[in-house]
Amino acid sequence: MNLLGLGLSYVLVFLVIGLSTLLQKKGLLADEGARKFIHIGVSNWWILAMFTFDLWYIAVIAPITFVLLNYYSYKTNLIKSMERSGKGNLGTVYFPISLVILVLIGFGLKSDLARFDIPILVLVGAVGILTLGYGDGLAAVIGKKYGKYKIVNDKSILGSLSMLVVTFVVVTFISLIHLNLPMSLLVGLTIAVIATAVELFTPKGLDNLTVPLVSSLMYYLLLLF
């Protein structure tokens, strides 16, 4: 299953990038929409990983590949649908770096706690990556299109509210795998507030590091206490 998962990892990512590029060329996605299409689509890799990998040294290969590929694209504008104009924003590189870190933790560290054969630390990683993918991704899309009132780092009130709501839904859904409904709602709300604040005050693409790592850390601490 590990080698199958590795193959499917490349299929998924290149399919998302290819589809984003096509939609951008057809005029169906603007530049920011194309970037966030990739952002959200690639975050689903963690769901694939949960059901195909049990060896960390295989699971980490694809994220490392995309750290290198994304940095090369950043320097050369290789994947135009993924890059912002101008330099100074390494968000596309920080994303797979977050994946590498959370794969090493989620799949590399042993945990005796599991639900439905999914180790708890893998679910901890899922919280971080899917919060980044869906919460941060949809916040940017909605905020860019509809957000009129800016607050911090050129981010809008509507975008931050979108981040809060989407993160709450994502984390609550994941929590229901191993917590009851009241606890899942409480944990979901707590992580949503923290992740939204982190995203709001983190500039220049660094939120692709801070949001998943802080969200996963806080989720883990909440499970402990």
PDB file of all heavy atoms in Angstrom, residues 123-135:
ATOM      1  N   LEU A 123      -4.168  11.861  12.930  1.00  0.00           N
ATOM      2  CA  LEU A 123      -5.325  12.766  12.977  1.00  0.00           C
ATOM      3  C   LEU A 123      -4.905  14.166  13.427  1.00  0.00           C
ATOM      4  O   LEU A 123      -5.469  15.166  12.968  1.00  0.00           O
ATOM      5  CB  LEU A 123      -6.388  12.206  13.925  1.00  0.00           C
ATOM      6  CG  LEU A 123      -7.064  10.914  13.465  1.00  0.00           C
ATOM      7  CD1 LEU A 123      -8.004  10.384  14.543  1.00  0.00           C
ATOM      8  CD2 LEU A 123      -7.830  11.133  12.166  1.00  0.00           C
ATOM      9  N   VAL A 124      -3.915  14.231  14.314  1.00  0.00           N
ATOM     10  CA  VAL A 124      -3.372  15.533  14.719  1.00  0.00           C
ATOM     11  C   VAL A 124      -2.820  16.261  13.495  1.00  0.00           C
ATOM     12  O   VAL A 124      -3.040  17.458  13.300  1.00  0.00           O
ATOM     13  CB  VAL A 124      -2.285  15.357  15.794  1.00  0.00           C
ATOM     14  CG1 VAL A 124      -1.504  16.646  16.002  1.00  0.00           C
ATOM     15  CG2 VAL A 124      -2.909  14.906  17.122  1.00  0.00           C
ATOM     16  N   GLY A 125      -2.095  15.541  12.651  1.00  0.00           N
ATOM     17  CA  GLY A 125      -1.588  16.125  11.422  1.00  0.00           C
ATOM     18  C   GLY A 125      -2.697  16.535  10.474  1.00  0.00           C
ATOM     19  O   GLY A 125      -2.616  17.570   9.801  1.00  0.00           O
ATOM     20  N   ALA A 126      -3.754  15.727  10.421  1.00  0.00           N
ATOM     21  CA  ALA A 126      -4.890  16.042   9.553  1.00  0.00           C
ATOM     22  C   ALA A 126      -5.521  17.376   9.939  1.00  0.00           C
ATOM     23  O   ALA A 126      -5.927  18.163   9.076  1.00  0.00           O
ATOM     24  CB  ALA A 126      -5.928  14.924   9.631  1.00  0.00           C
ATOM     25  N   VAL A 127      -5.602  17.640  11.235  1.00  0.00           N
ATOM     26  CA  VAL A 127      -6.162  18.916  11.702  1.00  0.00           C
ATOM     27  C   VAL A 127      -5.355  20.079  11.129  1.00  0.00           C
ATOM     28  O   VAL A 127      -5.926  21.045  10.600  1.00  0.00           O
ATOM     29  CB  VAL A 127      -6.180  18.970  13.250  1.00  0.00           C
ATOM     30  CG1 VAL A 127      -6.404  20.400  13.744  1.00  0.00           C
ATOM     31  CG2 VAL A 127      -7.268  18.060  13.791  1.00  0.00           C
ATOM     32  N   GLY A 128      -4.033  19.997  11.224  1.00  0.00           N
ATOM     33  CA  GLY A 128      -3.201  21.092  10.739  1.00  0.00           C
ATOM     34  C   GLY A 128      -3.297  21.303   9.247  1.00  0.00           C
ATOM     35  O   GLY A 128      -3.509  22.433   8.772  1.00  0.00           O
ATOM     36  N   ILE A 129      -3.177  20.233   8.477  1.00  0.00           N
ATOM     37  CA  ILE A 129      -3.144  20.354   7.021  1.00  0.00           C
ATOM     38  C   ILE A 129      -4.511  20.720   6.451  1.00  0.00           C
ATOM     39  O   ILE A 129      -4.618  21.566   5.544  1.00  0.00           O
ATOM     40  CB  ILE A 129      -2.630  19.052   6.382  1.00  0.00           C
ATOM     41  CG1 ILE A 129      -1.173  18.814   6.784  1.00  0.00           C
ATOM     42  CG2 ILE A 129      -2.772  19.097   4.865  1.00  0.00           C
ATOM     43  CD1 ILE A 129      -0.219  19.945   6.415  1.00  0.00           C
ATOM     44  N   LEU A 130      -5.572  20.127   6.953  1.00  0.00           N
ATOM     45  CA  LEU A 130      -6.897  20.442   6.410  1.00  0.00           C
ATOM     46  C   LEU A 130      -7.400  21.807   6.884  1.00  0.00           C
ATOM     47  O   LEU A 130      -8.164  22.470   6.177  1.00  0.00           O
ATOM     48  CB  LEU A 130      -7.892  19.328   6.779  1.00  0.00           C
ATOM     49  CG  LEU A 130      -7.562  17.980   6.128  1.00  0.00           C
ATOM     50  CD1 LEU A 130      -8.540  16.902   6.590  1.00  0.00           C
ATOM     51  CD2 LEU A 130      -7.569  18.074   4.608  1.00  0.00           C
ATOM     52  N   THR A 131      -6.952  22.237   8.058  1.00  0.00           N
ATOM     53  CA  THR A 131      -7.227  23.613   8.477  1.00  0.00           C
ATOM     54  C   THR A 131      -6.542  24.589   7.525  1.00  0.00           C
ATOM     55  O   THR A 131      -7.137  25.584   7.097  1.00  0.00           O
ATOM     56  CB  THR A 131      -6.744  23.853   9.923  1.00  0.00           C
ATOM     57  OG1 THR A 131      -7.568  23.119  10.822  1.00  0.00           O
ATOM     58  CG2 THR A 131      -6.791  25.331  10.283  1.00  0.00           C
ATOM     59  N   LEU A 132      -5.290  24.296   7.190  1.00  0.00           N
ATOM     60  CA  LEU A 132      -4.573  25.145   6.241  1.00  0.00           C
ATOM     61  C   LEU A 132      -5.242  25.106   4.873  1.00  0.00           C
ATOM     62  O   LEU A 132      -5.471  26.149   4.253  1.00  0.00           O
ATOM     63  CB  LEU A 132      -3.121  24.677   6.118  1.00  0.00           C
ATOM     64  CG  LEU A 132      -2.284  25.381   5.050  1.00  0.00           C
ATOM     65  CD1 LEU A 132      -2.137  26.862   5.364  1.00  0.00           C
ATOM     66  CD2 LEU A 132      -0.917  24.724   4.912  1.00  0.00           C
ATOM     67  N   GLY A 133      -5.548  23.898   4.395  1.00  0.00           N
ATOM     68  CA  GLY A 133      -6.105  23.766   3.056  1.00  0.00           C
ATOM     69  C   GLY A 133      -7.458  24.431   2.912  1.00  0.00           C
ATOM     70  O   GLY A 133      -7.635  25.330   2.076  1.00  0.00           O
ATOM     71  N   TYR A 134      -8.398  24.024   3.718  1.00  0.00           N
ATOM     72  CA  TYR A 134      -9.767  24.508   3.564  1.00  0.00           C
ATOM     73  C   TYR A 134     -10.007  25.832   4.285  1.00  0.00           C
ATOM     74  O   TYR A 134     -10.619  26.746   3.718  1.00  0.00           O
ATOM     75  CB  TYR A 134     -10.753  23.440   4.056  1.00  0.00           C
ATOM     76  CG  TYR A 134     -10.908  22.318   3.068  1.00  0.00           C
ATOM     77  CD1 TYR A 134     -10.096  21.191   3.129  1.00  0.00           C
ATOM     78  CD2 TYR A 134     -11.851  22.385   2.051  1.00  0.00           C
ATOM     79  CE1 TYR A 134     -10.218  20.157   2.206  1.00  0.00           C
ATOM     80  CE2 TYR A 134     -11.991  21.362   1.127  1.00  0.00           C
ATOM     81  CZ  TYR A 134     -11.180  20.256   1.210  1.00  0.00           C
ATOM     82  OH  TYR A 134     -11.304  19.244   0.283  1.00  0.00           O
ATOM     83  N   GLY A 135      -9.530  25.938   5.520  1.00  0.00           N
ATOM     84  CA  GLY A 135      -9.758  27.173   6.279  1.00  0.00           C
ATOM     85  C   GLY A 135      -9.057  28.360   5.665  1.00  0.00           C
ATOM     86  O   GLY A 135      -9.688  29.348   5.259  1.00  0.00           O
TER      87      GLY A 135
END
